[in-house]
Amino acid sequence: MNPTKAVLLRRGRLLGAVVVMAMMAVQLLAPAARADTVSQKRAQATHLADEIQRAEERIGVAAERVNNARLKTDAVRAGVADAEAKMQAADRRAGQVKTELRAHAV
């Protein structure tokens, strides 16, 4: 797993854990008259776990896109560097040809 994807997955998991803990805190602080049943809490926890899983999947897709974009950027940069090197070599050769033509003209 590439570092970017790992960081994004950790952030997603951390965010999910924070959301779950916040929801639990709200429920613990709610008045007893509004207390939900255990089955409702399990359903909420399942729903949150599903949301976290979907978020992790989206993070994974985004991390892969970032990685692909970096690879393409690196390839373009390498192409630009190669083109610049060829252009410098052509400029040097053109200078040599000019020098040779001047020598022949004289």
Side-chain angles (χ1 to χ4, degrees):
M1 179 181 302
N2 67 49
T4 302
K5 187 174 184 179
V7 168
L8 291 174
L9 285 174
R10 279 192 300 256
R11 287 182 184 169
R13 288 187 182 121
L14 179 61
L15 176 62
V18 169
V19 169
V20 169
M21 292 189 62
M23 297 221 24
M24 290 174 60
V26 168
Q27 294 301 323
L28 289 174
L29 298 175
R34 291 184 27 211
D36 293 329
T37 64
V38 173
S39 62
Q40 289 172 326
K41 295 295 181 194
R42 285 185 181 145
Q44 288 175 347
T46 301
H47 177 71
L48 287 173
D50 290 342
E51 285 184 27
I52 291 168
Q53 179 63 35
R54 286 190 299 274
E56 286 177 349
E57 289 169 2
R58 287 191 305 270
I59 289 170
V61 169
E64 192 63 32
R65 286 180 181 166
V66 167
N67 191 40
N68 287 337
R70 283 187 179 153
L71 291 173
K72 288 178 184 178
T73 301
D74 291 345
V76 168
R77 285 184 180 153
V80 167
D82 184 51
E84 287 176 344
K86 288 178 181 177
M87 199 165 59
Q88 289 174 355
D91 286 344
R92 282 192 301 273
R93 181 64 185 138
Q96 292 170 349
V97 169
K98 285 180 186 178
T99 302
E100 289 172 12
L101 286 174
R102 283 188 195 121
H104 289 309
V106 172

